[in-house]
Amino acid sequence: MKKFLSMVLALAMSTSLFTFSASAKDFTDSSKIKYNEAVDVVSALDIVDGYADGSFNPSATLTRGAAAKIICNMILGPTTADALSADTAPFKDVPANHTFSGYIAYCAQKGIISGYSDGTFRPAGTLTGYAFMKMLLGALGYDADIEGYSGSNWTVAVAKQAMGIGLDDGNDKFVGTQAVTREEACLYAFNTLTADVVEYGSKTTVNINGATVVVGGNEATKVSNTAAASKHYNDEADGVMQFCEQYFKDLKLKSGESQDEFGRPAKTWYNKTNKIGTYAKEADVVYTAKTKAETIYKDLDLDKAYDYAVVIDGADANPFVVTKKDDTKVSGVTGDADDKINDANKGLVGNGSLIEVYKDEQTITVVNTYLMQVNGDYDEDEEELTLATVDDTKTPDFSYDDVISSDDFDNLDSYEDEEYVLVTIAEGEGIQSIAKAEQVTATVTEYVEDESVTAGGTEYKYAYANDKTEGSYDLKADYDLYLDAYGYVIYAPAVEDETNYVYIAEFAKSSQLGTNSKVVAYGYFLDGTDDEISVSKVGGDKVTGNMVDKDN
């Protein structure tokens, strides 16, 4: 199983930043795949294939001919679809012996696709997200003529229908006018598998001024499925036929029976008895900074206090009461609206911790990012890379192997000796991800102990895993700052342990203006110099002019 997951400087939300899976197929470029669950399931059903060299090439654009093949594989199954052929050329640029002629002819005959006004299909051309979703809607049973998937505003009708049933779920940056990539095609096809199949009543057509118009049976209705729960893909008898229940009866989804390496509620897909993979569920809310109980309470729209189980780096931690009131007791645990998860768990959580909250399961999982350093070159014989801990950064309380293998991670040979890397580690499971740490080299102009440093005009907060936040900087000097996946400083080499003290001789408002006017002080520094300085915090607390009275 490929565990490597590239880290990015942003919260994706989702949510899916650290989603690990036991995948059915290990493509040689699996670390580049963003939609792992979709690609795993769709490829396990042989709807979309990889390449002969073992790669998947997720970012390659999907061609119109390949899109027709996907639709046929979904409706007919890959074996039947592979036997399709065309007696005559379905379009003038698609001869009968063309690789995709059978697929294109079938989709054209079913009204799922159409060509261009010049009689061509352009099978090697790309297609937009809207165009592919139009094909998927056709596979679900939607009639293009009845639903208005033609004319100058066809994309509006497609977008409304496709997004309304969730065909774009999982792609928060969906742009329907852009060309579809291979992995995006897998995501939309995967969503189609669990979408409802529709049908129409008997159709009545009339000819109006030479145009055929449907005037009867023009409302799509969901196909019923009255089989027992065990005949439904997720064992839930909802009375409606989903696409996979009609065309892939052996596909099963089991929820609530497992957790991933970090204790997140997970789901497992099976094809017959073959396990495709286990995937963490999408959290209801996600945070990457210190978070109060009341914030979670509001974001989850709770109506009373609840006791949530907490799992940190795969290990059970102290429970946490999610409440909006002070001193709320739940199951013998006392909670406070201002409580933070890190307070309840001895400071094991903070900025840079991926905090995922699952409402139904009443579970909070935390995945911390740690800094390590490559110790030696990549061992080509053993195909292994050795890592070492870094002084002044936090490490997990549990033991783990610091040697990782190419059997579990991609591109280990790209890491260099002494290079700083970001890792996530699960108790009992070891290192789960690795990525190069971002380095920022800039001039430090300001810093606040245990909180932040300003370099190059940007303020950077400290990460939980930075164990040297009380160190001091030489102002106007250049420093190397290493950032975690969310932009927090996880390490700053050469920061001094001792604090630069200043003796304040005078302390006052800078003017007689409003209550928020700036506070200034005149101070003497350890190096013998003196100067007027602006004061923004004292003892970690922010100060404003209204805090300084005339006697100070």
Side-chain angles (χ1 to χ4, degrees), residues 13-158:
M13 100 349 0
S14 109
T15 68
S16 58
L17 181 59
F18 294 106
T19 301
F20 305 97
S21 65
S23 61
K25 293 186 178 181
D26 281 336
F27 295 108
T28 56
D29 54 355
S30 60
S31 65
K32 299 178 181 178
I33 298 174
K34 179 180 179 180
Y35 306 121
N36 294 284
E37 180 180 3
V39 172
D40 285 351
V41 172
V42 170
S43 63
L45 298 176
D46 292 324
I47 293 173
V48 178
D49 300 322
Y51 292 90
D53 63 358
S55 66
F56 184 77
N57 204 2
S59 61
T61 52
L62 185 72
T63 67
R64 288 168 55 82
K69 180 179 179 179
I70 290 175
I71 299 300
C72 291
N73 285 342
M74 293 179 69
I75 296 176
L76 302 173
T79 301
T80 302
D82 190 53
L84 288 172
S85 61
D87 295 331
T88 59
F91 295 93
K92 68 181 185 182
D93 62 340
V94 183
N97 62 351
H98 189 279
T99 301
F100 296 115
S101 63
Y103 307 116
I104 293 171
Y106 178 86
C107 290
Q109 188 270 328
K110 293 295 182 181
I112 295 174
I113 62 173
S114 58
Y116 292 90
S117 58
D118 61 0
T120 64
F121 181 74
R122 305 173 195 175
T126 60
L127 74 168
T128 65
Y130 290 140
F132 186 55
M133 285 189 176
K134 175 184 175 181
M135 298 172 69
L136 293 171
L137 289 171
L140 285 167
Y142 290 95
D143 187 293
D145 292 329
I146 295 175
E147 302 297 337
Y149 302 159
S150 59
S152 58
N153 293 322
W154 71 271
T155 58
V156 176
V158 168

Side-chain angles (χ1 to χ4, degrees), residues 6 25 31 96 269 317 378 416 472 500 508 513 552:
S6 298
K25 293 186 178 181
S31 65
W269 286 98
Y378 173 72
E416 300 178 357
S472 61
N500 285 330
L513 297 177
N552 284 342

Side-chain angles (χ1 to χ4, degrees), residues 302-354:
L302 298 179
D303 56 359
K304 64 179 182 179
Y306 287 92
D307 187 5
Y308 273 61
V310 178
V311 182
I312 301 177
D313 293 333
D316 291 336
N318 293 325
F320 182 71
V321 177
V322 178
T323 179
K324 68 174 181 178
K325 298 180 180 179
D326 296 345
D327 299 321
T328 302
K329 292 186 177 180
V330 180
S331 302
V333 180
T334 300
D336 187 292
D338 289 330
D339 280 349
K340 300 182 182 68
I341 302 172
N342 55 310
D343 295 331
N345 286 281
K346 302 178 181 178
L348 296 177
V349 185
N351 292 337
S353 298
L354 178 65

Side-chain angles (χ1 to χ4, degrees), residues 3-16:
K3 297 176 182 173
F4 176 85
L5 182 66
S6 298
M7 299 183 183
V8 293
L9 258 180
L11 175 61
M13 100 349 0
S14 109
T15 68
S16 58

Side-chain angles (χ1 to χ4, degrees), residues 458-472:
T458 301
E459 181 185 33
Y460 298 95
K461 300 286 187 180
Y462 290 125
Y464 149 78
N466 189 336
D467 213 16
K468 206 174 185 180
T469 57
E470 294 183 356
S472 61

Side-chain angles (χ1 to χ4, degrees), residues 39-305:
V39 172
D40 285 351
V41 172
V42 170
S43 63
L45 298 176
D46 292 324
I47 293 173
V48 178
D49 300 322
Y51 292 90
D53 63 358
S55 66
F56 184 77
N57 204 2
S59 61
T61 52
L62 185 72
T63 67
R64 288 168 55 82
K69 180 179 179 179
I70 290 175
I71 299 300
C72 291
N73 285 342
M74 293 179 69
I75 296 176
L76 302 173
T79 301
T80 302
D82 190 53
L84 288 172
S85 61
D87 295 331
T88 59
F91 295 93
K92 68 181 185 182
D93 62 340
V94 183
N97 62 351
H98 189 279
T99 301
F100 296 115
S101 63
Y103 307 116
I104 293 171
Y106 178 86
C107 290
Q109 188 270 328
K110 293 295 182 181
I112 295 174
I113 62 173
S114 58
Y116 292 90
S117 58
D118 61 0
T120 64
F121 181 74
R122 305 173 195 175
T126 60
L127 74 168
T128 65
Y130 290 140
F132 186 55
M133 285 189 176
K134 175 184 175 181
M135 298 172 69
L136 293 171
L137 289 171
L140 285 167
Y142 290 95
D143 187 293
D145 292 329
I146 295 175
E147 302 297 337
Y149 302 159
S150 59
S152 58
N153 293 322
W154 71 271
T155 58
V156 176
V158 168
K160 180 179 179 180
Q161 186 66 67
M163 296 178 183
I165 62 175
L167 295 192
D168 64 330
D169 285 357
N171 183 3
D172 296 332
K173 298 181 179 180
F174 173 73
V175 179
T177 56
Q178 292 183 351
V180 176
T181 66
R182 281 171 51 81
E183 71 167 344
E184 286 174 342
C186 287
L187 177 65
Y188 308 147
F190 172 73
N191 291 333
T192 302
L193 290 173
T194 57
D196 298 331
V197 178
V198 300
E199 60 185 356
Y200 297 84
S202 58
K203 301 176 185 178
T204 300
T205 61
V206 296
N207 188 291
I208 301 177
N209 297 326
T212 300
V213 179
V214 179
V215 296
N218 59 346
E219 183 176 349
T221 58
K222 297 178 181 179
V223 176
S224 64
N225 183 3
T226 57
S230 60
K231 298 296 184 181
H232 292 248
Y233 81 95
N234 58 355
D235 292 337
E236 294 182 8
D238 59 359
V240 179
M241 182 75 73
Q242 279 77 52
F243 187 91
C244 63
E245 292 172 354
Q246 180 168 339
Y247 297 106
F248 294 94
K249 293 180 173 60
D250 293 321
L251 183 65
K252 298 292 181 182
L253 174 64
K254 302 293 183 181
S255 297
E257 67 175 24
S258 59
Q259 298 177 335
D260 75 351
E261 294 87 347
F262 291 103
R264 292 177 288 202
K267 53 186 176 180
T268 303
W269 286 98
Y270 293 90
N271 186 24
K272 293 184 179 180
T273 58
N274 298 320
K275 180 179 178 180
I276 297 175
T278 298
Y279 309 87
K281 292 182 179 180
E282 183 176 353
D284 293 286
V285 291
V286 179
Y287 310 96
T288 57
K290 297 177 181 178
T291 307
K292 292 182 179 180
E294 185 175 18
T295 301
I296 301 174
Y297 185 95
K298 290 180 179 178
D299 290 344
L300 291 180
D301 193 25
L302 298 179
D303 56 359
K304 64 179 182 179

